[in-house]
Amino acid sequence: MSLGKEVKVLLRKELLTEWRQRYAINGMLLYVVSSVFVAFLSFHVVNPSSWNALFWIIMLFTSVSAVAKSFIGESKGRMLYYYTIASPQGVMLAKMIYNTLLMLALSILCLSVYCMLIGNLVTNIWAFALAAALGSMGMAGCFTMVSAIASKANNSHVLMPILSFPVILPLLLVTIRVSKKAIDGLDFSTFMMDFMVIFFINFIITALAYILFPFIWKD
Amino acid sequence: MQKHWWKLVGVVALYYTIFRGFTGEIPQLPILEESIRNLYFHVPMWFGMLLLLLASTVYSIKYLGKNNPEHDIIASELAYTGIFFGILGICTGMIWAKNTWGTWWTNDPKLNSAAIGMLMYFAYAILRDAIDDSEKKARISAVYNIFAFPVFVVLIFVLPRLTASLHPGNGGNPGFNQYDLDNNMRLIFYPAVMGWTILGIWIANLRIRIKKVEKIINEN
């Protein structure tokens, strides 16, 4: 089977299993809404900087818990089954694409609930949306890979944040800076460089995950 | 002697660095004043750390290619020695910051990047401890090591250059070599880089040998 077709089949399977056991996705949606609500209750007056930081912290924790389950939750038997029928690259790409879709959906939800409760401070909404989309994609890719690494160790739920936070920080810092510029309503031309950096980091992470995953998944 | 000459070179270079570093001529510059001598300690320690971490990544790649357990020992011990040098670099940097910027730590991109980079390698150490099976430990930690190094490079070299930074060589600040690293200082700086790097390799070398012996003892 060609890689493209394999990824398509595996992606379909991911979406199907998610649809069949809706508690996982519903749990994630509730997680986002309740963390935004906690933030809303604990902050009363928010200036643009804290608005931005708070949004990204919620996104960070949401994505860690949403993406962590991609490998950590998989049973041993199912991994063994993949091993016999699919290529590692196919499995990795399918999981990454699936997690990217999941993260995009979660970020849209998070942003709308956040704007509704705490208020919308963003001036350049398209730039902010683009930053949020690129940031979510990067987080999805990075956390998918780290979740594959952590799933092989004992106590993987503790390892997941330890391993992933330092790795995601460069991306997160640039994303936070871009979104701050978008909040302040700066022109697109001022953050082209930052978008390039985000793109570059995303590319490195995805490429490394693609190359390194075959070494992780065998047991 | 043919095998050990480099250690002698390292020892001589370090003695020279420490002796000349504390007593040698320095340019009289405002704010920096005597603290410029830290150039012989702080900067070479970071060079040494980068080299050790790069070598560690290379051995991790080698391990994944050949599955030779020896490469795993080398990669992990190089990384641990790199962490040690990183901590030394941060400590010397903090002393320098206290004397020139007036505070031990500031919210500066270069400093924060360095701290995050160290967190990444601490996580590497924890990951190694969290896996029992030695073959699996070697494989998974090699993957994380290779995954972490490019991010570390982006952290240290790309991000601080994008924003304003107090640290020399970043955010539009000139590096030392532009106007204040005179030829007199170069004569000490280059041996210092050599000396500290050799010391790092030596420490790693001893640790690797200890680990190999331990492995042989455990197997019998």
Side-chain angles (χ1 to χ4, degrees):
Chain A
M1 214 174 353
S2 73
L3 187 66
K5 207 173 158 205
E6 199 175 273
V7 170
K8 228 161 95 187
V9 172
L10 285 166
L11 184 62
R12 190 164 167 271
K13 171 251 142 204
E14 289 285 337
L15 291 167
L16 258 180
T17 43
E18 198 68 77
W19 181 247
R20 282 185 189 151
Q21 25 170 273
R22 257 157 300 189
Y23 69 90
I25 184 84
N26 286 341
M28 279 331 299
L29 298 178
L30 197 58
Y31 186 106
V32 173
V33 174
S34 35
S35 21
V36 175
F37 199 66
V38 168
F40 166 65
L41 292 177
S42 21
F43 282 74
H44 290 293
V45 188
V46 183
N47 63 344
S49 288
S50 352
W51 188 93
N52 190 24
L54 196 59
F55 175 75
W56 282 106
I57 288 170
I58 294 173
M59 283 296 290
L60 177 69
F61 280 90
T62 308
S63 59
V64 168
S65 29
V67 180
K69 71 174 171 38
S70 57
F71 282 98
I72 294 174
E74 292 270 23
S75 66
K76 262 225 151 81
R78 197 188 282 168
M79 282 317 285
L80 205 64
Y81 179 56
Y82 287 151
Y83 190 63
T84 55
I85 56 163
S87 71
Q89 283 87 357
V91 173
M92 190 67 195
L93 283 178
K95 293 250 185 206
M96 272 189 161
I97 295 169
Y98 168 72
N99 283 326
T100 307
L101 294 176
L102 178 70
M103 279 309 299
L104 286 175
L106 286 177
S107 58
I108 291 169
L109 177 77
C110 186
L111 189 59
S112 31
V113 179
Y114 197 76
C115 286
M116 220 162 62
L117 286 176
I118 302 186
N120 182 9
L121 301 182
V122 184
T123 325
N124 190 343
I125 192 77
W126 291 111
F128 190 88
L130 185 58
L134 281 174
S136 319
M137 276 164 75
M139 284 191 205
C142 176
F143 292 156
T144 311
M145 178 64 183
V146 175
S147 133
I149 294 175
S151 70
K152 297 293 173 192
N154 306 329
N155 215 345
S156 39
H157 283 284
V158 179
L159 272 179
M160 181 70 198
I162 304 178
L163 294 177
S164 54
F165 283 1
V167 177
I168 200 66
L169 264 164
L171 182 79
L172 195 67
L173 290 177
V174 185
T175 318
I176 288 178
R177 203 170 56 228
V178 180
S179 28
K180 182 67 178 53
K181 285 180 184 167
I183 292 170
D184 294 341
L186 297 185
D187 193 60
F188 257 109
S189 57
T190 53
F191 36 70
M192 271 339 268
M193 184 66 194
D194 293 318
F195 276 132
M196 295 265 282
V197 173
I198 298 181
F199 223 82
F200 171 69
I201 298 174
N202 278 358
F203 175 76
I204 295 183
I205 289 172
T206 316
L208 281 174
Y210 185 83
I211 298 165
L212 292 174
F213 184 64
F215 296 102
I216 309 178
W217 88 321
K218 297 178 211 162
D219 250 328
Chain B
M1 204 56 214
Q2 290 110 320
K3 253 173 84 181
H4 300 292
W5 60 271
W6 57 275
K7 294 174 186 168
L8 193 71
V9 172
V11 170
V12 171
L14 278 182
Y15 266 113
Y16 175 78
T17 304
I18 292 167
F19 187 70
R20 286 296 306 276
F22 280 113
T23 60
E25 284 268 312
I26 49 159
Q28 295 300 321
L29 294 168
I31 301 167
L32 274 172
E33 292 167 4
E34 292 292 323
S35 78
I36 199 169
R37 298 185 193 278
N38 206 350
L39 182 76
Y40 309 134
F41 301 93
H42 173 66
V43 182
M45 279 167 188
W46 269 84
F47 282 179
M49 178 204 68
L50 277 174
L51 198 83
L52 290 166
L53 294 181
L54 175 70
S56 165
T57 309
V58 170
Y59 273 97
S60 281
I61 295 171
K62 272 191 178 173
Y63 176 81
L64 289 183
K66 296 224 176 76
N67 276 325
N68 180 352
E70 210 165 274
H71 290 157
D72 172 57
I73 295 176
I74 297 173
S76 62
E77 293 306 328
L78 282 170
Y80 291 158
T81 319
I83 294 174
F84 176 64
F85 267 65
I87 294 170
L88 286 182
I90 285 187
C91 291
T92 49
M94 278 167 79
I95 296 170
W96 210 350
K98 181 70 187 162
N99 285 301
T100 51
W101 303 336
T103 165
W104 296 108
W105 195 273
T106 68
N107 191 8
D108 187 77
K110 185 82 169 187
L111 274 62
N112 291 339
S113 292
I116 298 163
M118 282 295 106
L119 284 184
M120 215 142 66
Y121 282 93
F122 288 147
Y124 169 79
I126 290 174
L127 176 68
R128 284 186 68 86
D129 288 340
I131 306 174
D132 300 323
D133 181 62
S134 65
E135 194 269 337
K136 196 163 151 190
K137 174 195 284 189
R139 190 157 40 82
I140 303 299
S141 62
V143 168
Y144 186 70
N145 196 10
I146 301 167
F147 193 58
F149 188 72
V151 180
F152 183 68
V153 170
V154 170
L155 262 174
I156 301 293
F157 293 110
V158 182
L159 289 190
R161 281 177 173 71
L162 287 177
T163 44
S165 170
L166 293 167
H167 197 279
N170 297 107
N173 278 352
F176 268 104
N177 42 5
Q178 290 204 346
Y179 52 83
D180 38 13
L181 184 60
D182 60 11
N183 283 331
N184 220 338
M185 288 191 79
R186 260 177 238 278
L187 273 179
I188 309 172
F189 181 68
Y190 294 132
V193 171
M194 202 167 67
W196 289 110
T197 309
I198 290 177
L199 183 71
I201 295 169
W202 196 355
I203 294 173
N205 180 275
L206 288 175
R207 289 189 54 119
I208 291 162
R209 278 156 61 194
I210 292 170
K211 274 282 143 71
K212 278 185 192 163
V213 172
E214 267 175 11
K215 196 166 171 271
I216 293 168
I217 292 171
N218 285 341
E219 274 167 6
N220 295 321

